């Protein structure tokens, strides 16, 4: 069994009285984990309060208070590809992640994620990602090293001050009349929840897309997202009629199956550029990975 070295956290939300018990709250929040298992974890001292003290089955529900727990996964999958550290100083660490590796723990993954691999590799437990990539996407991810300056870097991403460039290989079944597009629309969660969709309304997502080269029925695209919605580039490419090679979610959701490591999603976070709020320098980082047309 894989057990997380760093705790995860959940906040008890406002609720109507009578409040649920701690066990009831955990069971409702994490239905995949049995009541007996939560009772066992609490008995073993593996569920903590805000002060880091083990809670008991008698601990009262307290809205806005946090509960810390250590994720446990039976038979965690191993991702047989290595990450690369491209840059590190006292403020940030820049890594290039492989396809299939999640950035943070989630689902079936505890230690097999970029964050925990880097924590184990560097010994820096305060590492925190400043942005995310889909598990299926490879490329550059930036981490904050220093909690005291973390907010400065978060603001860059929150206010669209980071230039990102992606490369993608996609199906080109017919030669298009043009080779560049700006896509603006509204993206919201669909069904199932991990799948996004476009709806009418005020645009909240924008991408610049350019077709660089075509061979056979495949094209190499350069993608520059202006915003950072979940699955934005995959959805925008699909909406233009260009399905990214090996995309199992867009335009059509395919049946769930184990990863095929020989068929990674052909989407790469290739380049990132920003004005460093601490050093004052212009930072630019590029992945050495390539998508071969």
């Amino acid at each position: 069994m894989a057990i997380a070295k760093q705790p995860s956290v959940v906040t008890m939300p406002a609720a109507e009285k009578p409040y649920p018990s701690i066990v009831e709250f955990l069971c409702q929040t994490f239905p995949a984990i049995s009541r007996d298992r939560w009772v066992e974890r609490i008995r073993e001292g593996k569920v903590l309060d805000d002060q880091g003290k083990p809670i008991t089955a008698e601990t009262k529900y307290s809205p806005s208070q946090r509960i810390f727990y250590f994720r446990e996964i039976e038979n965690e999958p191993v991702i047989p590809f290595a990450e690369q550290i491209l840059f590190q100083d006292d403020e940030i660490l820049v890594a290039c992640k492989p396809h299939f590796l999640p950035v943070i723990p989630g689902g079936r993954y505890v230690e097999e994620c970029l964050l925990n691999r880097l924590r184990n590799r560097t010994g820096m437990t305060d590492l925190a990602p400043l942005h995310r990539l889909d598990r299926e996407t490879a490329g550059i991810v930036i981490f904050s090293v220093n909690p005291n300056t973390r907010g400065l870097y978060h603001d860059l991403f929150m206010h669209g001050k980071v230039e990102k460039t992606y490369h993608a290989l996609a199906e080109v079944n017919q030669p298009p009349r043009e080779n560049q597009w700006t896509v603006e629309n509204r993206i919201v969660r669909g069904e199932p929840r991990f799948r996004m969709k476009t709806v009418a309304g005020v645009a909240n997502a924008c991408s610049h897309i350019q077709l660089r080269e075509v061979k056979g029925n495949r094209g190499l695209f350069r993608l520059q997202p202006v915003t950072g919605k979940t699955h934005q580039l995959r959805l925008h490419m699909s909406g233009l009629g260009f399905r990214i090679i090996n995309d199992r979610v867009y335009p059509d959701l395919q049946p769930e199956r184990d990863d095929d490591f020989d068929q990674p999603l052909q989407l790469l976070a290739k380049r990132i550029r920003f004005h460093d709020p601490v050093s004052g320098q212009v930072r630019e980082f590029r992945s050495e990975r390539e998508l071969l047309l």
Side-chain angles (χ1 to χ4, degrees), residues 101-115:
L101 185 72
V103 173
I104 61 172
R108 299 182 298 160
Y109 301 93
V110 174
E111 290 303 301
E112 280 293 271
C113 69
L114 184 60
L115 174 60

Side-chain angles (χ1 to χ4, degrees), residues 79 81 97-102 135-136 259-261 263-264:
I79 306 303
F81 306 110
K97 89 170 189 71
H99 295 283
F100 302 104
L101 185 72
R135 186 177 76 87
E136 298 87 352
D259 289 332
D260 183 343
F261 294 134
Q263 297 187 47

